Amino acid sequence: RGGLCRTDVRLMTTTLIIDMDALADLSPWESLAHAKQWDEFFEHIPDAPLRDAPVVALARWASAHGARVVISSRWDERHRAAATAWLSEHNVPSNAIYMRRSANPDAPSLAHRHAITASKRHMGTPVLVVHNSGEVATALRSRDVRALPADRITDDPAMWERLITYAKPLTVKKKGN
């Protein structure tokens, strides 16, 4: 028929936010992170393999169907060029990358702030967050943000369509309310 189906229309107005740690697997260098040797740890960004292929497939599918794909990361802003190069090398689409700019905030607060930022930039659009941590996804849901842990994403396009209908607009409170 040549027309858009309901899922296509919904995708065109959805923001999919994906945690960078659900994409790049830096776990082989975790001992450096535990020792807070951050510069040495992040030197390995170019070497990091894909962590979760279904999440990458979801990002590619959503982008191909018109969704905005935003990468959210607790990585320091100083590593933006390396993160961007890694995403490009692994053919992970992104319309924006949100990174931390200040002292290391807790993961749920930063993920929530990134979801709010994405929602403000495209008011009223449905938002769905895929996070590497199940605990962070749970914390986001307690803040009324639709979120799933990355390990729950499968390689099933029918599941991806259901996920898009699960996304919902965020209620953004104005300062002073």
Side-chain angles (χ1 to χ4, degrees), residues 41-62:
F41 176 74
F42 286 114
E43 284 176 8
H44 293 285
I45 292 172
D47 306 321
L50 285 173
R51 175 182 298 275
D52 202 335
V55 174
V56 173
L58 169 62
R60 291 174 183 155
W61 176 85

Side-chain angles (χ1 to χ4, degrees), residues 19-26 38 41-42 44-46 48 71-80 82-84 86-87 97-102 104 110 114:
D19 176 27
M20 185 70 180
D21 289 333
L23 299 168
D25 185 2
L26 287 166
W38 299 114
F41 176 74
F42 286 114
H44 293 285
I45 292 172
I71 306 302
S72 172
S73 180
R74 285 185 68 194
W75 299 1
D76 188 280
E77 179 70 32
R78 296 178 300 140
H79 304 292
R80 177 176 294 280
T84 301
W86 187 92
L87 291 165
I97 303 173
Y98 298 163
M99 302 181 87
R100 74 176 171 87
R101 295 184 176 166
S102 58
N104 207 3
L110 184 65
H114 287 170

Side-chain angles (χ1 to χ4, degrees), residues 13-165:
T13 63
T14 297
T15 300
L16 174 64
I17 302 174
I18 301 176
D19 176 27
M20 185 70 180
D21 289 333
L23 299 168
D25 185 2
L26 287 166
S27 63
W29 304 281
E30 270 183 10
S31 62
L32 294 171
H34 292 301
K36 299 194 183 311
Q37 295 174 324
W38 299 114
D39 290 335
E40 294 86 353
F41 176 74
F42 286 114
E43 284 176 8
H44 293 285
I45 292 172
D47 306 321
L50 285 173
R51 175 182 298 275
D52 202 335
V55 174
V56 173
L58 169 62
R60 291 174 183 155
W61 176 85
S63 178
H65 286 82
R68 282 178 293 284
V69 178
V70 173
I71 306 302
S72 172
S73 180
R74 285 185 68 194
W75 299 1
D76 188 280
E77 179 70 32
R78 296 178 300 140
H79 304 292
R80 177 176 294 280
T84 301
W86 187 92
L87 291 165
S88 178
E89 179 181 327
H90 292 279
N91 196 27
V92 178
S94 67
N95 298 92
I97 303 173
Y98 298 163
M99 302 181 87
R100 74 176 171 87
R101 295 184 176 166
S102 58
N104 207 3
D106 66 281
S109 294
L110 184 65
H112 186 247
R113 184 171 38 211
H114 287 170
I116 295 294
T117 299
S119 184
K120 284 181 178 177
R121 290 201 174 143
H122 302 282
M123 288 301 275
T125 63
V127 173
L128 175 67
V129 177
V130 175
H131 204 281
N132 190 50
S133 165
E135 293 169 3
V136 171
T138 298
L140 287 171
R141 287 192 303 274
S142 76
R143 297 176 183 191
D144 206 28
V145 176
R146 298 289 168 98
L148 288 172
D151 64 4
R152 300 268 313 273
I153 305 300
T154 68
D155 266 332
D156 179 12
M159 176 208 199
W160 304 338
E161 287 187 28
R162 288 189 303 276
L163 285 176
I164 295 308
T165 62

